[in-house]
Structures are given as structure tokens and as C-alpha cells.
Amino acid sequence: MRGDSVQDAERRLAEGLASFSLSWSAEVRRRITVLPGDLRQPRLGLTDEQWELLANELDSVVSVGAAVDFLRGYPSLRRTNVLGVLSLAELAMTGRPKPLHHISSIAVFNEIGIASMGEDDPVAHVDRLTAGYDKTKWAAEAALRRARDRGLKATFLRPGGIVGHTRTGAYNPHDINTGLSSAISRYRVAPKINYSNSAPVDWVSRVATAVICKPSGWGQNYHLTGRPDTLTEMVRDQELGGLNVRVMAWDVWLEDFLARTETDPVPELEFMARVLRNPAGRKIVEASVTAPMATGERTEAFVARHKLPPPARYDAQARLKSYERMARDGLVILPSRDDPPHLWFRETMRGKVGPVDAKPDTRCTFALTLSIASMYQLVQHRTIDVRGTVSCSLLHADPLTVDDGEIWVRPHQGVPHRHSLDHPLLRYRLALRDADGNGWWLEGWKTARARLDYMQQARTLTIRAGREGEPASLAGTMKVPKKSYKREQIDGIRVNPNLSMREQRIAKVSWLAWFSTQLGQGLLEPTLRAGAELLDLRPDAIDRDKDRYQAKLTKWEKDRKQLR
């Protein structure tokens, strides 16, 4: 690690681990020996004593350090990315021979128009590489191939784009894939690509570690690119999630992106803008988006042989955690209520309301449209957006408009209301505006009890309403008519028309499966609770039994002593 002292090098390592949600614990510190050094210096900047100690005691050498800068030229990167690798090769060949595992990159293929990118395919022509970073990766491999001929056991591990961790969401904010994701989510336009040769960091690191630890895999080339994405798959993921994306030719997209960032600069996109304003950086991105699929038959065979997770596509589910972190950091914009709805349907209700604590006697009608902006909104936030009108003469002679409305599905995880047997199914909260501009609020609950009239409970909404800023003045009960329930809320479901018919069916089935599961669970909970109480299987009942048993045992002991 670079640093002026061991403490400084340890601090840099700890900060690097923390930035990717990894801990620098006492156990990690115990297993790692940190040596201050520098890849740019001869013999890594180590003393002769340190060098000889490493040469005689190491079992293998992993070349993972590099200067990753797409805007610098070959001369400024050469000392780190080429000479540093040669120093590690020298260390591997000094004393007892040791294998060298070199973390390279598929950037060695970054020649625009290259035909294929197999593990043993010829790499690009160096004179057709424009970026200094690509040239240094090419040169390091070329030097190590010569060292292979002289006896060095060198393994090339070539990741493509290394994207976010599927469980923690940790990601690199200065990665090209991060920049592209940020631009696509913000502007809703994507460049036409051939493939996205990228894989999550947890899969890349796990497979790389396995290769390093298995001597049978040494001395070969491996592509750690997962299962590449196609443009169709990427756009489908976005649309199924509720994000409508237009596709542009690369040149058109580039011009559009640079024009947007020039007119309205976005700090989170400044890194990507700088890369694309630079001719060399532009060529790197162009070579990436127009590259053929990177294939990895040897990697797939190794993974299967050692029962590792197979290469999988970095789909919407895999990238969810990273997208959430990127959204918190302002790098991506997730689908919101302001976007065109992803899925929607109508809900009609009829009932009666009246003054609070009085018998409802005035007819009221709801004509609502329920929608979701994305499946992400549904699964993560469990909310449904509401628009429409409320007609009730006690509120106003004319229909009131829903300015803002939201429904929570199984709020509080279905825990029953306090001092009540009612388990919440849905909670409605509507902000209303009448024809005179006055504001009203309305809150309603669909609840479940331990009864068999499940459909009746699922269709019944108990409401309270009042003027904005005032307590409730009206209360009543609304119901979804039986005839309209299936017609509107099942057959009447509509999905984003930009999706294909097959994808619309998938979206509809996904919604029905999720909502039916939630509703079914909510309706069964009070029955299961009643059953548990009937059988006296609750933990507090068991505890009471234990207390009673202990009391009887104590009394028995006391009586026995008295008899003696």
C-alpha cells in the first residue's frame, strides 16, 4: 500500500475497505500484513531485506494494483501499470518460483470493430488502441506472455465492467458503467449498444479468488465478464421496472448527452461528462458499447467444476441494491410518481356517510384510478398511487378532485389495531380539493377479522373525512360493488403500452401475484391468530402454564415439609 508509514498505509487500506462497505476489523488486521510501498518504484519501493523476505516466503503473487484513469496517456500510466507488473513478475521469479495472477482487463480488446473476444483470441492491435489505460493493460500482458515463455506461471484474469455488489450495493462511482446507468436513468435515453460485458463485483472476486487458490487453473486466461447483457434485455428491465427509455444511435446519444450536461450541468454526471469530452475517453466508451460479446468457456467450465455460482445476467433484481445506493447518492433517479404509470386500474366505491357518531345517511361515490410507477415502488415501499374524484353532497355539491392520494398495502405488517381485533389490509389517505378551492382530507381502512366473508372484508372501506387542518367531521362505510370488482380490478388492468404484449402480461401477472399474496396473508392472519388463542398456543399462555406448574411444585414441596 502507498503510505509514508505502516500506520498511514493501514489507514488508506481501512478507508478503501470502508468505502465499499467492507470492515477493517481486528480479525482482518490480524490476517493482513501491510507494507508501505509503491508500484512505480523499482522493487516496489521495498528495502532489500523486505524484498528478500517476500521472495523466499510468498506462495503466490497477485497483481491487482493499477492506476485507472481514462484521461491520462500511456507515458503517465506506464510506471504503475506496466513497470509495476514487471516488478511483481520479478518478485515471482526471484528465489523459489511462484505463480503470478495478473488482474488484467478486457480493455486489451478495446479496438473498435474487433470481431471476437474469446479467452484465447488475439488481443487488439496496439496501434488501434487510443486510450493510455488500454495500452498499458495490453503492454503488461505482452510482457507477461514473454515471461511465460521463460518459465513464469502467469494467469490472466480479465474482468469487463465491474458493477455493484448484489447484496450490499457497494459500487464504484467513477466506473463507466456507473456513469452510463446514471445518464440513462436521469435522461431516459440509452445509447444503442451491442453488449454490456459486465458482472457484479462479488461474483468477479469470488471466481478470481477460486482461480488463485486452485493450482489446476493456473497459467491460463479467464474472462470474468459474467453473462453479458443485450440492449433488448437492458431496455426491457428498465421498462418492466417502470422506467421508459428511448434508444439512440451512439453518435446521436453522445451529442445529446454532452448538450444536456453543457446546458444544465449535473455534479453527479461531471465524471462521465469529462470522460466523453476527451477524445481518448470517448473512444473507450464507444469501444465498450460497440464491442462483441466477451466469451468465457474456460471460466464457465472452471466455475461448474468447482461448484461456484454460474455466470448470471446482471438484471434488475441483481442491481437493485446498487441502484438504491446510487439513488441515495444522487447518481440515478428511480421511477417516481411523476413518471407515466407503469400499471393502473379503476376502483369504484359506493356507500353512505354522515356526521361522526351519527348514522350514515348520505350517499357517496368514489371514482378512483389506482396506479404504480414501478414494481420497485410496490415491493420496496408497498404503496399505490391514487387519483380520481369523490362525490358526496355533505362535502360539496360538485365532485371533489383527489390532489394527492396513496394506499399502503398491509401497513405495519398486518399488526392489529391497538385494543382491536381488526388487522389492517389497506390504508387510504387522500388529499381532496373541492370546486371552491377548499382542501379536505379523507382516511380509510380496509381491515380483516376472523370471519369467513373474506371478499366482503376485502371490498369494504371504513372512512373518516374532514376539512384541511381540522378533525374528522364525517364518517361512513364504502364498498366496491361485486359486479365492478373483477371487471375493473382484474380484467381492467392496464400496463405501459410501450411494452410488448408478452411483457404486459408479465407485468400484470406480477402485480396480481404480489397483491393477491399480500391480501391473502392479511385475510388469514386474524383467523390464524384466533386459532392460536383457541388452542392456547401463544407464548404468554405457555409462560402462564409454566408459572402455574412452578407454583404447584412449590406448594407441594411446602406441604411435604409440613407433613414431616
Side-chain angles (χ1 to χ4, degrees):
M1 289 292 297
R2 280 182 293 152
D4 298 328
S5 63
V6 172
Q7 293 75 20
D8 186 39
E10 284 187 348
R11 177 188 59 78
R12 286 176 57 86
L13 177 59
E15 290 175 353
L17 291 173
S19 68
F20 291 106
S21 301
L22 298 171
S23 63
W24 177 241
S25 63
E27 174 62 19
V28 174
R29 188 180 291 109
R30 183 185 68 80
R31 297 169 59 190
I32 295 177
T33 300
V34 178
L35 295 177
D38 193 334
L39 279 173
R40 298 170 297 182
Q41 302 300 322
R43 290 194 167 187
L44 310 176
L46 302 175
T47 65
D48 290 343
E49 182 180 357
Q50 290 173 325
W51 179 268
E52 292 298 327
L53 182 66
L54 292 177
N56 291 317
E57 292 193 357
L58 289 179
D59 294 319
S60 61
V61 179
V62 181
S63 169
V64 71
V68 182
D69 191 327
F70 305 123
L71 304 182
R72 289 164 59 185
Y74 177 84
S76 66
L77 298 173
R78 176 174 174 269
R79 289 178 64 188
T80 302
N81 294 357
V82 182
L83 299 185
V85 174
L86 294 182
S87 294
L88 292 171
E90 179 186 355
L91 178 63
M93 294 294 286
T94 300
R96 176 167 50 85
K98 299 164 283 295
L100 172 66
H101 308 286
H102 175 55
I103 308 297
S104 183
S105 169
I106 60 168
V108 297
F109 293 96
N110 266 2
E111 173 187 333
I112 295 177
I114 198 163
S116 62
M117 297 196 303
E119 290 163 320
D120 297 324
D121 285 352
V123 296
H125 297 81
V126 68
D127 58 339
R128 296 177 187 172
L129 297 174
T130 58
Y133 175 77
D134 297 352
K135 291 178 179 179
T136 59
K137 286 296 184 181
W138 186 98
E141 280 202 13
L144 291 179
R145 276 194 293 273
R146 292 188 178 183
R148 272 179 176 175
D149 296 337
R150 296 174 178 268
L152 175 65
K153 181 73 77 171
T155 305
F156 296 166
L157 298 158
R158 296 174 180 149
I162 301 180
V163 289
H165 198 289
T166 57
R167 293 192 303 278
T168 68
Y171 69 97
N172 180 3
H174 294 130
D175 181 75
I176 286 177
N177 286 279
T178 300
L180 281 172
S181 296
S182 180
I184 292 169
S185 73
R186 186 174 296 273
Y187 299 134
R188 307 294 203 259
V189 290
K192 186 176 181 181
I193 69 168
N194 287 338
Y195 295 95
S196 175
N197 292 298
S198 55
V201 63
D202 43 321
W203 184 84
V204 171
S205 58
R206 185 170 180 180
V207 175
T209 301
V211 171
I212 290 167
C213 294
K214 300 292 184 182
S216 61
W218 295 350
Q220 305 290 330
N221 305 334
Y222 296 89
H223 280 179
L224 308 181
T225 53
R227 210 279 268 160
D229 253 346
T230 66
L231 176 65
T232 301
E233 291 170 329
M234 292 176 62
V235 171
R236 185 189 63 197
D237 279 352
Q238 301 280 1
E239 290 179 337
L240 286 175
L243 197 67
N244 301 320
V245 175
R246 290 185 296 115
V247 178
M248 295 180 174
W250 162 252
D251 292 339
V252 178
W253 180 88
L254 177 63
E255 183 179 348
D256 177 79
F257 172 79
L258 293 177
R260 289 175 186 267
T261 55
E262 188 72 29
T263 304
D264 185 18
V266 177
E268 292 82 6
L269 286 175
E270 180 55 31
F271 159 74
M272 195 65 180
R274 284 191 291 110
V275 169
L276 291 176
R277 291 190 194 109
N278 180 281
R282 190 181 306 153
K283 288 293 184 183
I284 285 182
V285 181
E286 182 180 0
S288 298
V289 301
T290 60
M293 178 187 291
T295 56
E297 289 83 1
R298 182 178 294 111
T299 303
E300 292 176 11
F302 178 90
V303 163
R305 188 163 60 250
H306 297 284
K307 296 180 172 57
L308 296 169
R313 193 171 72 82
Y314 190 59
D315 60 10
Q317 185 61 38
R319 72 179 73 212
L320 178 60
K321 291 294 184 183
S322 293
Y323 259 51
E324 290 177 338
R325 287 183 62 145
M326 291 165 68
R328 290 197 296 269
D329 296 341
L331 281 166
V332 302
I333 299 178
L334 295 170
S336 71
R337 301 174 70 186
D338 297 328
D339 291 320
H342 171 59
L343 177 147
W344 66 95
F345 56 89
R346 295 176 58 196
E347 181 175 66
T348 300
M349 291 190 189
R350 296 187 178 92
K352 290 184 178 182
V353 301
V356 174
D357 298 327
K359 182 179 179 180
D361 57 3
T362 304
R363 293 188 180 278
C364 189
T365 303
F366 291 0
L368 306 177
T369 298
L370 279 53
S371 66
I372 57 171
S374 65
M375 291 302 293
Y376 171 83
Q377 168 195 346
L378 195 64
V379 175
Q380 298 300 117
H381 302 296
R382 307 166 68 87
T383 60
I384 304 170
D385 301 321
V386 183
R387 292 291 185 269
T389 60
V390 171
S391 300
C392 183
S393 59
L394 285 181
L395 297 175
H396 197 277
D398 298 320
L400 286 75
T401 302
V402 179
D403 275 353
D404 186 38
E406 202 164 28
I407 299 173
W408 283 267
V409 180
R410 287 188 64 242
H412 316 304
Q413 297 294 328
V415 174
H417 292 160
R418 189 177 182 184
H419 307 309
S420 172
L421 297 177
D422 293 328
H423 288 242
L425 294 175
L426 302 172
R427 182 186 184 184
Y428 287 60
R429 295 195 71 177
L430 309 181
L432 307 172
R433 187 74 53 188
D434 64 28
D436 298 326
N438 299 313
W440 296 77
W441 63 266
L442 185 148
E443 183 176 55
W445 293 86
K446 287 185 179 180
T447 57
R449 282 199 173 199
R451 299 196 304 260
L452 296 179
D453 55 341
Y454 294 128
M455 282 304 297
Q456 176 86 351
Q457 297 179 66
R459 294 187 295 109
T460 302
L461 181 72
T462 303
I463 67 167
R464 295 169 67 86
R467 285 189 177 274
E468 193 174 55
E470 297 180 7
S473 59
L474 301 175
T477 301
M478 307 294 296
K479 288 187 178 181
V480 178
K482 286 183 180 180
K483 292 181 179 180
S484 70
Y485 191 89
K486 180 177 182 296
R487 183 180 68 247
E488 293 183 346
Q489 301 194 29
I490 299 178
D491 298 336
I493 293 175
R494 298 292 178 264
V495 183
N496 172 13
N498 292 324
L499 297 176
S500 68
M501 292 304 296
R502 176 178 176 274
E503 291 163 345
Q504 290 185 40
R505 287 194 296 271
I506 291 173
K508 182 176 178 179
V509 169
S510 299
W511 153 259
L512 289 173
W514 184 87
F515 186 72
S516 299
T517 300
Q518 295 295 320
L519 198 64
Q521 185 175 344
L523 289 167
L524 284 174
E525 280 169 341
T527 302
L528 294 175
R529 179 187 177 200
E533 291 179 349
L534 181 65
L535 297 173
D536 210 20
L537 296 178
R538 292 172 299 160
D540 57 339
I542 295 173
D543 291 340
R544 287 199 304 272
D545 285 346
K546 288 181 179 178
D547 293 341
R548 284 197 296 268
Y549 174 76
Q550 187 62 45
K552 288 181 180 179
L553 185 62
T554 303
K555 185 177 183 301
W556 180 77
E557 288 284 350
K558 185 178 178 180
D559 293 342
R560 192 178 65 165
K561 289 179 181 179
Q562 288 176 351
L563 289 173
R564 289 178 179 176

